[in-house]
Every structure is written in structure tokens, then in C-alpha cells.
Amino acid sequence: MDLDKGVIRVFWQIKRFRYRHGCKDPHVCGARHHRYPCLKDCPEAKRTSGRRRVCLVACRKNCTKHGGACPKFCATDCTKHAVACPDRVGRWTFTKPKGKGKRSIALPPPLVALLKLHHAAQKAERQAAGDRQKAERQAAGDRWKDWDLVWCMSDGSPIDAGDDWDEWRAILELAEVDKDARVHDVRHTAATLLLEQGVDIRVIQAVLGHSQLTTTKRYTHITETPASEAAARMGRALWDD
């Protein structure tokens, strides 16, 4: 980001490849390392690793111990749960953005001021995290490094998708948005707001980074505001002296 010039340059996007089993037998690995959490009052629950209670025995079809909420177990041939595999394969990496790839976006002045505050707060968080969080992540088997991200965890690492969604839902609730909107829907909103402000469709295309104008047109939605303005202009052209 070049905040002094009010410009953000998008050259890369970060992406996490899904975890895959790195062991020889995914089924055995999943059965060994993955257990579903059980209800607190489950008579079959046992404590593992001194932390959580899990149900180690699958319930019968006519089980009445859990009030109809029996813990679910995998099929005998299940090979999922790669996230629990000690030798799992999967990582964060930078990839080229879709569409036009590299692009520069001019930022609204109020947003520039907010991003400067965010950058200062982010720097303070990283300094506070220091070597402690770095050591913890390395001990957990993660390859720690400072990704130099605009939005990240307090130690500079990428934000987990689950945490990102939780924060997004909290924002929707705070804004009293009843619709179960996706984060991607914000791009549609931005495109429509720009269209309502009279911004040319090709400028909107550049902002969104679309390689095809037809894609941008799918993102813009005609609301009453531009439709009414178009009708008013037609009236002035045909009837006004």
C-alpha cells in the first residue's frame, strides 16, 4: 500500500490449500486421531489428553442416552479428517489474482486515514506478540514467518477462514443486516454503489479487477436511484425547452 498517494496495489492474493493426509493409511490415521466431542453428561464419554471429553463408542440405533443428539461417527471406510493428521499436507501460499492480475486502486481519502490507523495498530500488535507467539507456532509444527499482510493475526500470520467468517457475521449483526450475506457480496455492493454515483462501467471493471466487461455487468445491479435519474434525463431531453 502507498497510503501517502492514496493507492493500493494488488499484485498477489493469499490462498490456503486444503489439508491432505500425508500418512500411509488415511483411514487408520483418521480413526486414531479424530474423535467427535461428546455431550457433557454422556455416560460413554472419556477424557483424552486431559482436555476434552469424547465418545469412544458409537451409539446403537435405538439409543436414548443423548436425547436424540447422539454423537456421529464416521463410516468404516472413512478417509477424511486430514486436518488431524500429524503429517498433514497443506499450506498458505501466494497466488496471482484472477482477472487482470496486477492492478492499482485509488482509495477514498477517509479510508486512507483508517488504513493508516490500522497499520499503526497492527505494528504494535506484532511487537507485543514478539517471540512468544513465534515460538508457540513453531512448536506446533507451523512454519512461522512474517507474511507482510494488510490483515492478519497479531503475530503477522494469515487469518483462518473460520475466524474470518465469525468476524464477518459479527459485523452483519452489528449493522443489523438480516440477510445471510457472503463476504463476496460486498463486491456486488461496491459495484452497485459506484454505478449509482455515475461511475463509468469500465472504471468499475478496473476497480474490481475483471478481465471481461460482461463479468462486471453481472456484479452491478440497477436500483431505483439510477433508473429514476435516467428517466429524469429523458424527460429533460424531450420536453424541456
Side-chain angles (χ1 to χ4, degrees):
M1 292 189 299
D2 191 344
L3 296 181
D4 291 333
K5 294 183 179 180
V7 175
I8 183 171
R9 296 182 175 87
V10 182
F11 292 170
W12 299 94
Q13 66 179 9
I14 193 168
K15 182 177 181 180
R16 185 171 195 167
F17 289 98
R18 288 185 176 275
Y19 282 123
R20 305 188 310 278
H21 278 279
C23 54
K24 295 182 179 179
D25 192 331
H27 172 60
V28 173
C29 177
R32 181 182 303 162
H33 297 287
H34 181 267
R35 292 289 186 272
Y36 282 93
C38 194
L39 302 177
K40 293 182 179 179
D41 58 348
C42 175
E44 302 292 345
K46 295 182 180 180
R47 193 174 296 276
T48 61
S49 304
R51 294 183 295 176
R52 61 174 184 166
R53 292 166 60 85
V54 296
C55 196
L56 304 180
V57 180
C59 297
R60 298 178 180 179
K61 292 183 179 180
N62 57 350
C63 174
T64 59
K65 297 177 181 179
H66 306 92
C70 296
K72 297 180 180 179
F73 287 81
C74 299
T76 55
D77 58 347
C78 177
T79 58
K80 298 180 180 180
H81 317 305
V83 67
C85 176
D87 301 318
R88 64 182 181 269
V89 179
R91 59 190 177 87
W92 291 100
T93 187
F94 284 105
T95 61
K96 293 183 178 180
K98 297 187 299 182
K100 291 186 175 180
K102 297 181 180 181
R103 65 184 189 274
S104 297
I105 303 174
L107 301 172
L111 181 58
V112 173
L114 292 174
L115 285 174
K116 286 183 177 180
L117 292 175
H118 168 73
H119 182 69
Q122 187 181 57
K123 184 177 180 180
E125 284 183 350
R126 292 186 186 182
Q127 292 176 345
D131 296 332
R132 178 180 59 81
Q133 290 191 7
K134 177 180 178 180
E136 289 176 354
R137 296 185 66 85
Q138 289 176 334
D142 295 335
R143 296 180 179 179
W144 186 94
K145 69 176 181 179
D146 191 344
W147 293 81
D148 192 25
L149 300 172
V150 178
W151 288 276
C152 60
M153 302 294 288
S154 58
D155 63 352
S157 60
I159 300 175
D160 182 78
D163 295 334
D164 191 37
W165 271 104
D166 290 341
E167 186 172 354
W168 171 247
R169 292 190 183 96
I171 292 174
L172 291 178
E173 184 178 353
L174 185 63
E176 299 181 352
V177 176
D178 296 331
K179 181 182 178 181
D180 188 17
R182 306 165 301 166
V183 177
H184 191 76
D185 291 334
V186 177
R187 288 172 60 82
H188 291 260
T189 302
T192 301
L193 289 175
L194 289 171
L195 186 66
E196 287 186 344
Q197 299 302 314
V199 177
D200 186 85
I201 188 69
R202 295 193 178 275
V203 176
I204 300 176
Q205 176 189 2
V207 171
L208 296 183
H210 292 152
S211 58
Q212 300 293 330
L213 188 61
T214 54
T215 304
T216 308
K217 291 179 179 179
R218 291 199 300 268
Y219 273 68
T220 54
H221 306 282
I222 305 299
T223 62
E224 293 183 2
T225 300
S228 299
E229 178 62 24
R233 290 184 180 183
M234 182 63 73
R236 289 193 294 269
L238 296 177
W239 283 278
D240 290 355
D241 293 333

